[in-house]
Amino acid sequence: MSPIPSADQLGRIRPSATAPELLRNFCIIAHIDHGKSTLADRMLQLTGVVDARSMRAQYLDRMDIERERGITIKSQAVRMPWAVTDESGTSTPYALNMIDTPGHVDFTYEVSRSLAACEGAVLLVDAAQGIEAQTLANLYLAMENDLTIIPVLNKIDLPAAQPEKYADEIAGLVGGDPADVLRVSGKTGAGVLELLDRIVERVPAPGGDPDAAARAMIFDSVYDTYRGVVTYVRVVDGQLSPRERIVMMSTRATHELLEIGVISPEPIPTDGLGIGEVGYLITGVKDVRQSKVGDTVTNASKPAETALAEYHDPRPMVFSGLYPIDGSDYPLLRDALDRLKLNDAALHYEPETSVALGFGFRVGFLGLLHLEIVRERLEREFNLDLISTAPNVVYEVTLEDRSVTTVTNPSEFPTGKIVEVREPIVKATILAPSEFIGSIMELCQERRGTMQGMDYLSADRVELRYVLPLAEIVFDFFDQLKSRTRGYASLDYEPSGEQAADLVKVDILLQGEQVDAFSSIVHKDKAYAYGVMMTGKLRVLIPRQQFEVPIQAAIGARVIARETIRAMRKDVLAKCYGGDITRKRKLLEKQKEGKKRMKTIGRVDVPQEAFIAALSSDASGGKDAKEKK
């Protein structure tokens, strides 16, 4: 066994020379921070596709945000050469197509698309932490796709590693012998050579018909300013060659292939792509809507009759408004979202208008981290200054006349007689040490959770299953869970339909006038707490006026909380340095009358900064404003 020295040579050979039986397509799946990217680094080094001078930690994490946060956000495909020597000394060269996937629950859609392009999956588990909730979720996804699972324990070089204990745990899940669970260290490189050999041995070669019409699945794409849309595909049948015309089967758009190649790990042009190969296509098209993730690419001269099965569109879990601080940036934000959707197929958005914030977009995300990452990418990659409103979920409201209204924004909440309000719920899986069972159950009960079951994975690790309202977990549930379990708990959740709930809309009134932007839909039991929090926050954020301003939180016509912004008082007695008290009284009465008249005709001016701080998903907005004040 020895690595092929030149990845360049392998990248430029014709597809016919790379027989399908010499290809292995696999991905690495694991929980966040279990060492996927570090293991990928060692594989790149050992297969020789990245030399020592070019090597850097987390090589496949291309975005600045990924490197700063230490997480993988985008799946990255890379082609690696590997030669296996048999007992007779004959060396057989293989081509390994690896996809490094994200580990966070918010990017499960990235993982599901990667699994559809592979025949095998390396299930990576930290030897010091064991199975986590997202590890289980990714394992079940891989099993649903009938992938060959190769269980691997990583970080065996750590002093806290317990490989024997966790090998038994993994073997119990995937079925097999604990001795078959490979022990590797992505940091030191120990066991990685054996892992590469195991991948060649266990992962099946890709199937397909070489003589059939070409069919290739688009599993990702990206926008390049100079070259237009770069599409990443996995060829299932036939082959694709440069300078031929191709058809996108869903849009029927026809393009000429200007360049075709593989990623190893930088783009390398080739003479074509054959069965089972993973690579990229460049057609020079600038219209981002013409390259849809999940679409099938075929030859224009000999088109395929049926398309490949498309991916299931992900359902947005959390909605938030994105508005440019400068209203003239609205067209730029629209173009930026169009281009970002090309690279992030889980993004959903539609135009929205706010009285307070102007023109913007209502954007659907898969979770709070997804929201943070999208906003940060828009600001960094497209130089935009954005406001994001507090996240909320979709409700279905049934009125007395049996009409059903879908509410994605509190301002859309109907005012008529309401029969029922339904909210989305999720099935949550929590894995944690058994000593924290009490505090986890207490947290879930506070968030209106219903326990579904509890299993002990080992003597000291427990799996708790709950049904929880989505609105209760999208904001700070995970932070609370981590703090109550000293960081040991892990969470995974999936949509589980809807349920009826006792929800109310809390309105915020400034001097008796309702301000839609501050309204929120909350559970009846938490309405008072929300009202007190919001009125207190606005009392700090809104500057004092010449008259007293009441801030009220109300459910319908009933006021549940109130704060008052005290009036600025001009010292009208400054010029009185003596004389009769009646003169001072006269001046004070005159001032009192003026304030009374101003209060009846005066209008509260809420500055843009107050809207931004109060509506922002950043919980420290009120505190920052107080410090500035």
Side-chain angles (χ1 to χ4, degrees):
M1 174 204 65
S2 61
I4 297 176
S6 172
D8 233 18
Q9 291 172 359
L10 188 72
R12 291 194 171 89
I13 55 178
R14 297 182 64 86
S16 55
T18 309
E21 58 268 19
L22 298 179
L23 287 171
R24 297 291 183 270
N25 298 322
F26 71 98
C27 60
I28 305 176
I29 55 174
H31 191 83
I32 192 168
D33 200 31
H34 277 212
K36 296 180 300 300
S37 298
T38 308
L39 178 63
D41 287 348
R42 296 294 79 73
M43 287 182 173
L44 294 177
Q45 280 187 308
L46 290 170
T47 54
V49 294
V50 179
D51 57 33
R53 188 170 62 175
S54 306
M55 193 63 202
R56 65 173 191 268
Q58 283 81 48
Y59 189 89
L60 294 178
D61 290 345
R62 305 297 175 93
M63 287 188 279
D64 292 340
I65 306 172
E66 291 180 312
R67 306 186 69 77
E68 286 167 18
R69 290 179 177 239
I71 59 174
T72 302
I73 295 165
K74 283 295 300 173
S75 299
Q76 295 289 346
V78 60
R79 177 171 168 142
M80 304 178 296
W82 187 247
V84 175
T85 305
D86 58 21
E87 293 174 357
S88 63
T90 307
S91 180
T92 309
Y94 288 87
L96 310 181
N97 288 313
M98 176 185 70
I99 303 179
D100 178 24
T101 64
H104 197 278
V105 60
D106 283 12
F107 303 109
T108 305
Y109 186 56
E110 286 282 323
V111 179
S112 66
R113 299 203 324 257
S114 304
L115 293 172
C118 299
E119 282 79 37
V122 172
L123 180 71
L124 201 65
V125 176
D126 189 327
Q129 296 181 59
I131 297 284
E132 303 271 18
Q134 190 61 33
T135 316
L136 279 177
N138 287 333
L139 172 62
Y140 296 149
L141 275 176
M143 286 177 167
E144 283 171 19
N145 281 270
D146 294 327
L147 265 60
T148 301
I149 310 294
I150 299 176
V152 177
L153 277 171
N154 193 22
K155 303 187 183 181
I156 56 166
D157 56 307
L158 292 179
Q162 296 174 281
E164 303 305 322
K165 173 186 174 183
Y166 293 125
D168 288 341
E169 210 171 272
I170 297 171
L173 276 172
V174 299
D177 190 346
D180 290 337
V181 179
L182 288 172
R183 276 79 159 168
V184 307
S185 169
K187 187 177 179 181
T188 64
V192 181
L193 297 174
E194 290 77 7
L195 173 58
L196 289 165
D197 285 344
R198 181 74 62 90
I199 289 165
V200 170
E201 176 192 336
R202 293 273 181 93
V203 176
D209 185 354
D211 301 319
R215 290 196 302 172
M217 171 71 84
I218 300 176
F219 68 88
D220 204 358
S221 48
V222 67
Y223 186 84
D224 185 280
T225 310
Y226 304 102
R227 313 198 71 181
V229 178
V230 181
T231 305
Y232 297 104
V233 297
R234 149 77 196 262
V235 180
V236 176
D237 293 320
Q239 71 174 52
L240 293 172
S241 306
R243 293 297 167 184
E244 69 179 358
R245 296 196 70 78
I246 57 167
V247 177
M248 306 290 184
M249 292 191 73
S250 71
T251 60
R252 308 310 302 174
T254 307
H255 311 291
E256 184 184 356
L257 269 181
L258 302 180
E259 185 176 308
I260 190 168
V262 296
I263 303 106
S264 184
E266 304 305 324
I268 300 173
T270 66
D271 292 338
L273 293 175
I275 288 177
E277 292 198 289
V278 176
Y280 68 91
L281 313 175
I282 296 176
T283 58
V285 174
K286 298 282 185 178
D287 184 358
V288 296
R289 294 177 186 85
Q290 292 191 15
S291 183
K292 181 188 169 191
V293 166
D295 199 356
T296 304
V297 178
T298 187
N299 297 109
S301 57
K302 185 187 173 186
E305 292 179 5
T306 56
L308 298 164
E310 291 194 2
Y311 300 118
H312 297 295
D313 282 335
R315 183 181 167 194
M317 306 279 274
V318 179
F319 286 84
S320 177
L322 283 182
Y323 297 86
I325 290 178
D326 183 353
S328 62
D329 285 344
Y330 175 76
L332 299 177
L333 175 58
R334 184 180 57 226
D335 292 343
L337 283 167
D338 280 346
R339 291 185 184 182
L340 195 61
K341 183 170 174 61
L342 186 72
N343 194 230
D344 185 353
L347 202 61
H348 290 260
Y349 57 92
E350 57 186 33
E352 183 181 62
T353 309
S354 163
V355 177
L357 303 172
F359 291 101
F361 288 91
R362 188 93 187 138
V363 189
F365 305 94
L366 298 184
L368 270 192
L369 179 65
H370 191 208
L371 188 159
E372 280 181 46
I373 295 298
V374 166
R375 179 182 163 174
E376 203 165 333
R377 286 186 70 185
L378 286 168
E379 289 181 338
R380 285 192 188 197
E381 295 174 22
F382 302 96
N383 297 319
L384 294 167
D385 290 319
L386 301 173
I387 307 162
S388 62
T389 61
N392 54 47
V393 298
V394 181
Y395 300 97
E396 282 196 353
V397 182
T398 306
L399 297 172
E400 200 171 29
D401 62 359
R402 291 294 162 193
S403 62
V404 179
T405 306
T406 301
V407 177
T408 60
N409 195 340
S411 62
E412 300 169 0
F413 201 81
T415 54
K417 181 78 173 170
I418 293 169
V419 175
E420 185 183 62
V421 182
R422 297 183 71 79
E423 64 177 347
I425 55 172
V426 295
K427 283 181 182 173
T429 305
I430 301 168
L431 267 70
S434 52
E435 63 188 280
F436 299 114
I437 289 176
S439 50
I440 293 170
M441 290 173 76
E442 185 185 356
L443 174 64
C444 292
Q445 283 165 5
E446 285 173 13
R447 300 303 177 95
R448 301 188 283 128
T450 306
M451 192 171 189
Q452 298 294 296
M454 181 171 72
D455 290 319
Y456 279 86
L457 298 177
S458 62
D460 56 352
R461 279 170 66 78
V462 67
E463 175 189 312
L464 294 155
R465 294 184 299 282
Y466 270 88
V467 170
L468 288 151
L470 179 60
E472 296 286 351
I473 69 168
V474 296
F475 206 65
D476 64 344
F477 180 82
F478 190 58
D479 294 339
Q480 288 287 327
L481 181 67
K482 283 289 185 185
S483 64
R484 292 192 188 206
T485 59
R486 299 206 297 270
Y488 284 109
S490 62
L491 169 74
D492 181 61
Y493 60 87
E494 60 180 23
S496 182
E498 295 170 336
Q499 70 177 12
D502 196 0
L503 302 171
V504 292
K505 178 189 175 189
V506 179
D507 290 315
I508 302 297
L509 311 175
L510 288 181
Q511 191 139 344
E513 286 186 24
Q514 183 180 318
V515 184
D516 275 345
F518 296 139
S519 300
S520 182
I521 300 167
V522 295
H523 192 266
K524 196 173 182 180
D525 296 342
K526 298 189 177 183
Y528 174 71
Y530 175 80
V532 169
M533 181 272 292
M534 203 61 175
T535 51
K537 200 173 183 183
L538 289 175
R539 185 178 68 80
V540 173
L541 293 167
I542 296 174
R544 289 167 69 182
Q545 314 286 319
Q546 290 287 349
F547 50 92
E548 192 177 85
V549 179
I551 306 170
Q552 297 167 308
I555 300 172
R558 183 166 62 91
V559 174
I560 58 170
R562 171 179 169 139
E563 289 280 356
T564 304
I565 301 173
R566 291 173 56 202
M568 283 194 295
R569 181 173 176 272
K570 181 183 176 185
D571 190 0
V572 294
L573 304 181
K575 58 188 177 184
C576 297
Y577 47 88
D580 196 353
I581 188 66
T582 54
R583 188 177 171 216
K584 293 181 180 178
R585 249 184 223 141
K586 185 180 173 185
L587 287 168
L588 289 169
E589 286 297 325
K590 190 177 176 184
Q591 184 189 46
K592 192 174 176 182
E593 284 297 319
K595 283 189 182 289
K596 193 174 180 182
R597 188 169 63 253
M598 192 185 292
K599 192 170 181 178
T600 60
I601 62 170
R603 185 175 172 276
V604 183
D605 183 29
V606 184
Q608 183 86 344
E609 292 75 24
F611 273 109
I612 295 167
L615 294 174
S616 172
S617 50
D618 180 9
S620 64
K623 180 181 164 213
D624 294 344
K626 195 169 189 177
E627 287 170 359
K628 284 178 189 173
K629 207 169 175 182

